[in-house]
Amino acid sequence: MRKIIVNIASLAWIAIIGLGAVACGGNTNSKHNSGDKGEELSGNISLSGAFALYPLAVKWANDFEKLHPHVSIDISAGGAGKGLTDALSDVVDLGMVSRDLDASEIERGAVGFAVAKDAVVPTINAKNPVYKDLVVKGAKRQTFVDLWITGKTKTWGQIAGNSSKVAVSVYTRSDACGAAETWAKYLGKKQEDLKGTGVFGDPGVASAVQKDQNGIGLNNIGYAYDSKSGKLNPGIAILPIDVNENGKIDDDENFYADRSQLVKAIADGKYPSPPARDLYLVAHGIPKSPVVKAFLKYVLTQGQKSNEGQGYITISQEKLQSSLKKLK
């Protein structure tokens, strides 16, 4: 069985399944059976990192354990920064990272395997005081720059183009994470440049926006939409991006009503990239453990069938083949 760990007190947004009694362990303590000579594949695999990849990783792990009952996979969500640090420190076998690796990380031995694609979206409260105007007008990229970077935008009237003097409450992430880094990249900056009240984790930001009628935050789509129904989570709405910047949301920019519409827009390139981005499993060097390699090969092949059903986009065959070549 698998032990799933989330290091914040309450994550109502994540379905915790398959709790087991196996303690989390890094790859230095794992016991691995190669499965040679007809032996059943066995051993422990540990993952930590990005909230963005967490739900899909749980699905992959659950399905892989069904195929290989003697394999135990432990998963911990704590942000992309933690996942990368844990992987490079050999605390875990694989880090879940929701952004591209930089040159310094690659120099330290980080090897990334692109396994899925999703996006970061600007989330607002469903009872926002100018909601009706926002869904018609949307927001240009510069509006987000003036909210999170310069701080010039102070009221919802400035965003909606009306007389509202209601102040905007801006939320960002307090933990080192791919979502904030990707959103900052869209705005031409780094995560540390983002202004706003820092909140830990994707579920934390979603909860803050849900409780604050005047709030705006940034979330991975997996925490804006319900995993089962595909509809927006209660109390959450998305501020549409005016991609062509003509001052209104055109029909081909109006794809936020449910998760499937947004996922298709991301796949079709209608939603900008960034904040759309690839998601990675990251190892410290090419994995030598047979069971870790087998899991990665599963994710890059058969596991890709789960992406769409979980609200993610399948990686291109070119990228999948590139990753598989690393494992040979």
Side-chain angles (χ1 to χ4, degrees):
M1 294 294 286
R2 177 175 64 265
K3 183 179 181 182
I4 301 172
I5 302 173
V6 182
N7 50 0
I8 61 178
S10 175
L11 291 188
W13 303 91
I14 299 177
I16 303 298
I17 59 175
L19 288 174
V22 181
C24 240
N27 54 15
T28 57
N29 296 320
S30 298
K31 295 181 179 179
H32 303 297
N33 186 339
S34 67
D36 293 339
K37 299 180 180 180
E39 296 178 1
E40 171 62 43
L41 188 69
S42 64
N44 302 324
I45 307 172
S46 54
L47 293 81
S48 75
F51 287 93
L53 193 50
Y54 179 90
L56 184 54
V58 169
K59 171 64 174 172
W60 286 330
N62 185 54
D63 291 346
F64 190 77
E65 287 180 340
K66 289 179 180 177
L67 292 173
H68 305 284
H70 299 293
V71 173
S72 176
I73 304 177
D74 302 340
I75 306 177
S76 169
K82 175 172 171 50
L84 185 63
T85 298
D86 286 350
L88 291 179
S89 301
D90 297 322
V91 174
V92 298
D93 295 298
L94 298 169
M96 301 180 290
V97 179
S98 50
R99 58 169 176 78
D100 293 336
L101 297 175
D102 63 37
S104 66
E105 292 162 346
I106 294 172
E107 288 177 3
R108 291 166 58 197
V111 178
F113 300 86
V115 293
K117 185 173 183 177
D118 78 341
V120 182
V121 292
T123 47
I124 60 175
N125 188 282
K127 294 182 179 179
N128 183 282
V130 293
Y131 177 78
K132 291 182 178 179
D133 290 333
L134 292 175
V135 295
V136 173
K137 179 182 175 66
K140 300 177 183 178
R141 177 182 171 277
Q142 186 60 44
T143 300
F144 299 121
V145 170
D146 290 341
L147 281 167
W148 270 279
I149 305 299
T150 68
K152 290 181 180 179
T153 295
K154 305 289 187 182
T155 70
W156 281 107
Q158 290 175 279
I159 301 173
N162 59 32
S163 60
S164 175
K165 302 298 183 183
V166 176
V168 182
S169 302
V170 180
Y171 294 97
T172 185
R173 290 279 290 274
S174 62
D175 53 309
C177 67
E181 186 65 32
T182 299
W183 187 249
K185 186 177 181 180
Y186 170 54
L187 305 182
K189 295 291 183 178
K190 297 286 188 181
Q191 178 177 351
E192 53 266 32
D193 300 313
L194 295 177
K195 298 181 184 297
T197 301
V199 182
F200 182 85
D202 240 313
V205 174
S207 179
V209 171
Q210 184 185 40
K211 296 173 182 177
D212 185 352
Q213 283 192 351
N214 306 321
I216 184 169
L218 52 97
N219 282 103
N220 297 297
I221 59 177
Y223 296 90
Y225 294 89
D226 180 79
S227 60
K228 294 183 179 180
S229 70
K231 301 297 183 181
L232 284 161
N233 279 314
I236 294 289
I238 294 176
L239 176 54
I241 297 179
D242 179 12
V243 180
N244 63 14
E245 303 199 338
N246 66 348
K248 63 179 181 178
I249 296 301
D250 299 318
D251 289 343
D252 62 353
E253 296 172 319
N254 187 14
F255 38 66
Y256 302 96
D258 59 54
R259 189 180 62 186
S260 62
Q261 289 185 38
L262 178 55
V263 166
K264 186 177 187 304
I266 296 167
D268 292 344
K270 293 183 179 180
Y271 190 80
S273 181
R277 44 70 193 279
D278 290 344
L279 306 175
Y280 297 84
L281 290 178
V282 176
H284 188 191
I286 301 298
K288 296 180 180 179
S289 159
V291 71
V292 174
K293 290 178 71 173
F295 177 67
L296 280 171
K297 288 179 180 179
Y298 168 82
V299 168
L300 294 166
T301 54
Q302 187 177 346
Q304 289 295 298
K305 297 176 183 178
S306 297
N307 288 26
E308 185 175 345
Q310 296 296 309
Y312 297 78
I313 295 99
T314 300
I315 289 294
S316 69
Q317 280 300 314
E318 181 180 359
K319 289 182 178 179
L320 291 172
Q321 290 303 315
S322 176
S323 289
L324 284 167
K325 285 181 180 179
K326 297 176 185 178
L327 296 171
K328 291 183 178 179

